């Protein structure tokens, strides 16, 4: 038994993802939307929709009280928060429960227990979860900072206790830099979180970011759905995720999974959550933090485990028992996700706006397209720039990379700049193909990835197609526009532009 009706307190691709799961389970869905989203896909796909305010998030998707009132009004029994927005706000989880509704996520107390980093570190240490060597209390002054840094050895990393997402973090390589770094980390933490508490950790050099998906019910079962490799990121924004990780051996997987389950149980966790780890070159892993929500990259885990995480979020929130045991979770094949954002990689990832004028979504074997946009969608600056996620599955990593490359070639989005060509270049990159990635990889490799030429085969095909089109246009000018749509999909937009210009085909 699940719910009769669920309100989805989000927008874009994740709202649609949850609405799809509801429909598959026979649950009616209620969308919420701002002014800007009056005609959005998620509004149309839901069974009902409620307008909750003006376009800025603070006046709509962050209005917890308005959303709870909308759920009561619509007769929903539960609220799914998606990711971002209200998903990790303890007060919202509590307010939903106090309103007599079910929050589809962890208990408010678990969100609270994992919210402060220093408190979470203490909890983890008490439960034999390895954390990065460092302190569990805020530094009082530069003198104390120097003493502790000396004890752990340089380089060290100063972190905001209230932090997350890299704010208030400072790497310190030597004692002479420590006092200044402490001052600026404290100022940044105060500004960002209203709390200047900063603590110190040993700085792990060139680790991978590997995370474990966990899933638990209210009857005491907590399972590890194994790891995702999320090292390909830029400025704390993940760009590409995969499962499994080339760096995770069966022994590491087992140890990391058991650790994540222990961490989740220690926090009183229920529902889907993610434990973030740093994994160093020797296979040593350290718990960083737990994300108390469904994550953007959950589909790669779904594809390799065969478990529909959103279905089970809904079912365990309604009190159902998970029917799996840990030994039933057997990873199969390889999955990769590329985040398709409205950012221009050749222009410093500047956000791009406009109306989606043409869209061709990839399909075919092993391809999943989780999108929040369609032809006609207005892409503005009010919300996150992620338009869609392209996820592929294949038997091996090499095949998954080839399949992702093929799917990206099929993708056409016109009207806004996107990260599509950037992803193509990554799939062609020798280091990425060898799995030689860490959290600094993209920053190191960005110029060469963005500046890279497409492979000769792609350019050669493009040249042939351009010549053929030019020939047909000369013979039959009126059919030119119809002919152009298909071949351009086979080639990169940048190649098309260059060759098209040479051939005088543009415009
Ligand atoms: C670290 C680290 C190296 N050593 N801690 C970044 C955000 C926050 N979640 C923790 N972060 C890091 N903590 C120690 N002791 C490197 C990072 C880090 C990072 C971690 C995961 C994913 C991307 C990252 C990018 C830069 C730095």
């Amino acid at each position: 038994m699940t719910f009769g009706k669920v309100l989805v307190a989000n927008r874009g691709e994740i709202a649609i993802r949850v609405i799809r799961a509801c429909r598959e389970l026979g649950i009616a869905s209620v969308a919420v939307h701002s002014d800007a989203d009056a005609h959005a896909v998620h509004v149309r796909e839901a069974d009902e929709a409620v307008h909750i305010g003006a376009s800025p998030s603070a006046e709509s998707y962050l209005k917890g009280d308005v959303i709870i009132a909308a759920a009561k009004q619509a007769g929903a029994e539960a609220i799914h928060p998606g990711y971002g927005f209200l998903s990790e706000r303890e007060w919202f989880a509590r307010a939903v429960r106090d309103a007599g509704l079910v929050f589809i996520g962890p208990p408010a107390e678990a969100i609270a227990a994992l919210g402060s980093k220093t408190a979470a570190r203490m909890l983890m240490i008490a439960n034999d979860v390895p954390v990065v060597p460092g302190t569990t209390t805020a530094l009082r002054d530069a003198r104390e900072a120097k003493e502790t840094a000396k004890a752990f050895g340089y380089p060290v990393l100063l972190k905001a206790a209230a932090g997350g997402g890299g704010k208030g973090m400072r790497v310190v390589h030597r004692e002479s830099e420590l006092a200044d770094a402490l001052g600026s980390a404290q100022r940044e933490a105060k500004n960002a979180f209203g709390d200047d508490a900063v603590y110190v950790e040993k700085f792990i050099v060139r680790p991978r970011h590997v995370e474990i998906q966990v899933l638990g019910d209210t009857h005491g079962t907590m399972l590890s759905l194994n790891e995702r490799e999320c090292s390909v990121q830029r400025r704390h924004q993940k760009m590409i995720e995969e499962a499994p990780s080339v760096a995770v051996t069966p022994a590491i997987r087992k140890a990391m999974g058991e650790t994540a389950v222990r961490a989740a149980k220690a926090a009183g966790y229920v529902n889907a959550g993610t434990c973030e780890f740093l994994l160093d070159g020797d296979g040593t892993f350290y718990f960083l933090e737990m994300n108390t929500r469904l994550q953007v990259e959950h589909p790669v885990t779904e594809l390799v485990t065969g478990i529909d995480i959103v279905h089970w979020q809904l079912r365990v929130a309604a009190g159902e028992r998970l029917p799996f045991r840990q030994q039933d979770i057997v990873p199969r094949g390889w999955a990769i996700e590329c985040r398709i954002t409205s950012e221009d990689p050749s222009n410093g990832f500047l956000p791009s706006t406009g109306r989606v004028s043409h869209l061709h979504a990839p399909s075919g074997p092993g391809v999943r397209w989780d999108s929040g946009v369609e032809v006609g969608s207005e892409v503005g600056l009010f919300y996150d720039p992620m338009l869609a996620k392209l996820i592929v599955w294949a038997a091996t990593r090499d095949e998954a990379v080839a399949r992702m490359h093929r799917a990206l070639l099929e993708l056409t989005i016109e009207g806004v700049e996107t990260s599509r060509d950037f992803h193509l270049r990554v799939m062609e990159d020798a280091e990425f193909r060898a799995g030689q990635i860490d959290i600094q990889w993209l920053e190191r490799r960005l110029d060469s990835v963005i500046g890279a030429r497409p492979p000769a085969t792609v350019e050669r095909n493009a040249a042939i197609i351009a010549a053929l089109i030019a020939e047909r246009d000369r013979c039959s000018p009126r059919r030119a526009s119809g002919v152009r749509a298909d071949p351009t999909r086979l080639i990169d937009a940048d190649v098309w532009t260059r060759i098209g210009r040479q051939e005088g085909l543009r415009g």
Side-chain angles (χ1 to χ4, degrees):
M1 265 304 294
T2 58
F3 304 110
K5 194 186 271 192
V6 167
L7 181 138
V8 183
N10 216 295
R11 64 179 305 282
E13 71 85 19
I14 198 62
I16 296 164
R17 170 72 187 89
V18 176
I19 291 164
R20 283 174 166 155
C22 287
R23 188 150 293 139
E24 287 167 3
L25 295 173
I27 302 170
S29 56
V30 184
V32 294
H33 70 89
S34 64
D35 286 348
D37 281 339
H39 305 287
V41 187
H42 77 277
V43 170
R44 203 179 56 239
E45 289 302 318
D47 294 305
E48 298 168 44
V50 183
H51 175 253
I52 49 167
S55 300
S57 304
E59 294 169 41
S60 48
Y61 298 105
L62 291 172
K63 285 264 181 216
D65 51 344
V66 174
I67 289 169
I68 290 168
K72 303 273 290 183
Q73 180 66 35
E77 300 146 71
I79 298 182
H80 194 303
Y83 51 67
F85 296 130
L86 297 166
S87 60
E88 297 186 275
R89 307 284 170 96
E90 177 199 346
W91 65 263
F92 183 66
R94 201 177 294 280
V96 170
R97 187 171 63 195
D98 291 348
L101 303 169
V102 176
F103 179 77
I104 301 172
E109 293 74 15
I111 299 177
L114 297 160
S116 156
K117 291 204 169 172
T118 41
R121 279 169 65 80
M122 281 190 240
L123 180 67
M124 294 310 153
I125 292 165
N127 286 275
D128 289 325
V129 172
V131 298
V132 187
T135 60
T136 49
T137 51
L139 297 164
R140 276 189 303 271
D141 51 33
R143 205 178 59 85
E144 189 189 351
K146 280 178 188 167
E147 279 166 21
T148 40
K150 193 169 255 153
F152 294 115
Y154 289 89
V156 296
L157 187 60
L158 302 176
K159 286 188 178 181
K167 279 219 181 74
M169 273 185 12
R170 289 288 182 286
V171 184
V172 184
H173 293 278
R174 56 191 70 83
E175 192 176 286
S176 60
E177 298 164 357
L178 191 60
D180 285 352
L182 180 63
S184 68
Q186 285 172 331
R187 272 192 304 280
E188 194 172 311
K190 183 81 188 167
N191 276 331
F193 314 109
D195 175 0
D196 70 358
V198 167
Y199 70 101
V200 67
E201 282 181 11
K202 175 119 189 93
F203 180 61
I204 310 296
V205 181
R206 282 205 189 182
R208 289 171 183 258
H209 176 188
V210 177
E211 57 189 30
I212 297 276
Q213 174 74 56
V214 297
L215 181 63
D217 64 21
T218 54
H219 306 277
T221 295
M222 180 62 66
L223 299 171
S224 162
L225 302 189
N226 299 327
E227 82 279 6
R228 293 185 285 258
E229 161 73 68
C230 304
S231 295
V232 182
Q233 57 85 41
R234 182 183 165 270
R235 300 188 181 173
H236 305 291
Q237 281 303 119
K238 294 169 187 162
M239 307 288 290
I240 298 170
E241 304 96 343
E242 57 185 294
S245 164
V246 295
V248 173
T249 61
I252 297 173
R253 178 168 303 122
K254 183 164 185 287
M256 217 186 239
E258 286 169 0
T259 302
V261 166
R262 216 161 46 242
K265 282 184 171 171
Y269 208 86
V270 175
N271 214 282
T274 298
C275 292
E276 288 189 4
F277 294 92
L278 292 177
L279 175 64
D280 74 12
D282 323 323
T284 309
F285 60 83
Y286 308 93
F287 174 91
L288 269 187
E289 54 194 80
M290 186 163 182
N291 298 318
T292 57
R293 60 168 189 278
L294 178 68
Q295 291 196 257
V296 173
E297 60 272 26
H298 76 275
V300 294
T301 300
E302 296 188 319
L303 295 183
V304 295
T305 61
I307 293 174
D308 190 309
I309 295 169
V310 182
H311 275 199
W312 286 108
Q313 280 199 290
L314 290 156
R315 295 176 71 169
V316 300
E320 265 194 67
R321 232 174 242 283
L322 287 170
F324 320 106
R325 292 156 306 168
Q326 190 62 52
Q327 61 264 36
D328 300 330
I329 315 297
V330 182
R332 191 172 150 266
W334 214 280
I336 305 177
E337 170 177 283
C338 288
R339 299 187 183 195
I340 308 300
T341 65
S342 53
E343 295 172 308
D344 185 358
S346 60
N347 202 355
F349 288 86
L350 194 74
S352 169
T353 61
R355 185 178 153 275
V356 177
S357 56
H358 181 82
L359 175 66
H360 177 85
S363 55
V367 174
R368 171 169 165 181
W369 175 249
D370 279 20
S371 170
V373 298
E374 61 187 353
V375 170
S377 293
E378 287 290 342
V379 179
L381 294 171
F382 286 117
Y383 315 112
D384 188 272
M386 199 178 74
L387 304 175
K389 304 183 305 208
L390 176 57
I391 314 113
V392 302
W393 181 91
T396 65
R397 187 172 189 273
D398 286 350
E399 289 171 282
V401 172
R403 180 163 276 170
M404 178 60 84
H405 191 263
R406 180 274 288 175
L408 287 162
L409 286 174
E410 287 182 18
L411 172 63
T412 307
I413 301 179
E414 282 167 20
V416 285
E417 297 298 328
T418 76
S419 55
R420 179 238 190 207
D421 291 2
F422 159 81
H423 287 299
L424 274 168
R425 297 294 87 78
V426 175
M427 294 304 132
E428 292 156 7
D429 183 271
E431 286 181 9
F432 178 80
R433 294 172 78 102
Q436 285 163 5
I437 47 177
D438 59 65
I439 62 173
Q440 282 127 40
W441 178 79
L442 185 54
E443 224 77 66
R444 269 197 321 272
R445 198 78 173 163
L446 199 56
D447 287 343
S448 75
V449 165
I450 286 169
R453 285 169 67 95
T457 50
V458 173
E459 282 208 42
R460 186 166 170 279
N461 290 342
I464 292 166
I465 291 162
L468 286 170
I469 293 168
E471 186 60 23
R472 275 187 85 158
D473 285 3
R474 267 194 288 280
C475 300
S476 171
R478 273 177 313 163
R479 293 188 53 195
S481 60
V483 177
R484 270 190 55 186
D486 285 342
T488 54
R489 262 195 241 123
L490 299 174
I491 61 178
D492 292 8
D494 52 347
V495 177
W496 170 251
T497 307
R498 193 158 64 236
I499 292 170
R501 253 191 234 112
Q502 281 165 17
E503 300 288 329
L505 287 172
R506 217 40 191 179

